Amino acid sequence: MAKRQKKDINLSLRMEEIERRIFLLKILYEKYFSGIERIEPMKERDAIRKLVRETGLMPMTNTQQRFKYQSLKSKFSSFELYWQRNLVQIERGTHPKQKFRQQMLEKNRRNMNTLNARQPKLTAEQQEDLAYKAVYERFIEARSQCGQNVDLEFDSIRDTLKRQVRTIKSKFRVERVKFRVAIEDGKAKLKAVPVREDSDPS
């Protein structure tokens, strides 16, 4: 009779956690690709990648557990390839769900135009402040999701952004600058992008 191999309970629990978190991360990415979530769940993806790597360093004497780990590792790698392909498509504007996003943006623009038509006209300075406020709120939301400090004054962020705008306009000789929020190494960052006349205005 073959000798029964002993299972490592801690290893089993760890792999159950990996499986659960991969499932939840898959849902988060589907929401992100659909435009429901505005921030890519990079922090959780990095955490799972680290957990998978650390688990692989643990001794595995049980054949079933080794097979389970290899299956989870392959599953996560497959999902990462799938997510990366989708991210590249979004960057190029060829993602199947990109049309949905564009339709939502167009709908929001129409709603804003209707709202603006009913309200008194804002001064250029007020419109500029509203634009900076929107960027500020997205940045604070991203920092909150990354567990970073959110005790940042709007005036301070706005003044910093204004300086960046002046610098970029002068350097690249453009009339417009837009800001996007990115998550890198688990931290939220604001990136300024010069907008040329032939660029996508969104």
Side-chain angles (χ1 to χ4, degrees), residues 8-16 55 58-60 65:
D8 185 330
I9 300 299
N10 290 330
L11 180 59
S12 293
L13 292 174
R14 192 181 183 95
M15 288 193 291
E16 286 177 6
T55 302
M58 297 175 66
M60 299 184 193
Q65 288 186 315

Side-chain angles (χ1 to χ4, degrees), residues 57-200:
L57 299 177
M58 297 175 66
M60 299 184 193
T61 57
N62 184 279
T63 303
Q64 288 184 343
Q65 288 186 315
R66 283 201 301 270
F67 178 78
K68 176 73 171 178
Y69 170 74
Q70 290 300 329
S71 297
L72 284 174
K73 184 179 178 181
S74 297
K75 183 178 183 180
F76 184 61
S77 295
S78 296
F79 276 133
E80 286 213 284
L81 288 172
Y82 169 73
W83 295 329
Q84 192 57 41
R85 284 198 301 270
N86 278 264
L87 291 169
V88 170
Q89 288 177 335
I90 288 176
E91 188 70 23
R92 293 175 178 173
T94 59
H95 192 272
K97 295 179 180 178
Q98 194 78 3
K99 186 176 180 181
F100 169 78
R101 284 188 173 187
Q102 291 172 347
Q103 289 173 342
M104 290 299 295
L105 286 171
E106 183 59 32
K107 181 179 178 180
N108 289 337
R109 288 194 193 102
R110 289 197 300 268
N111 290 339
M112 285 300 297
N113 289 337
T114 301
L115 183 62
N116 290 336
R118 295 173 181 173
Q119 294 180 347
K121 294 295 182 180
L122 299 177
T123 65
E125 185 177 351
Q126 289 172 326
Q127 292 177 355
E128 184 182 63
D129 263 8
L130 284 176
Y132 284 126
K133 187 70 173 178
V135 173
Y136 169 79
E137 289 174 353
R138 292 203 306 272
F139 183 49
I140 292 298
E141 179 184 348
R143 287 180 66 90
S144 176
Q145 291 187 12
C146 293
Q148 294 175 271
N149 176 33
V150 295
D151 187 20
L152 303 176
E153 293 291 337
F154 167 66
D155 290 348
S156 176
I157 297 295
R158 179 194 57 198
D159 293 344
T160 300
L161 296 181
K162 282 185 175 182
R163 286 195 294 271
Q164 290 184 23
V165 167
R166 287 195 295 268
T167 300
I168 291 175
K169 282 184 175 181
S170 174
K171 181 178 179 180
F172 295 96
R173 296 186 178 182
V174 295
E175 291 297 322
R176 293 177 55 218
V177 177
K178 68 179 180 179
F179 291 90
R180 66 182 182 88
V181 178
I183 305 293
E184 295 181 358
D185 300 324
K187 293 184 179 180
K189 296 183 178 180
L190 270 175
K191 294 194 173 184
V193 182
V195 179
R196 304 189 183 280
E197 291 183 0
D198 57 349
S199 299
D200 181 2

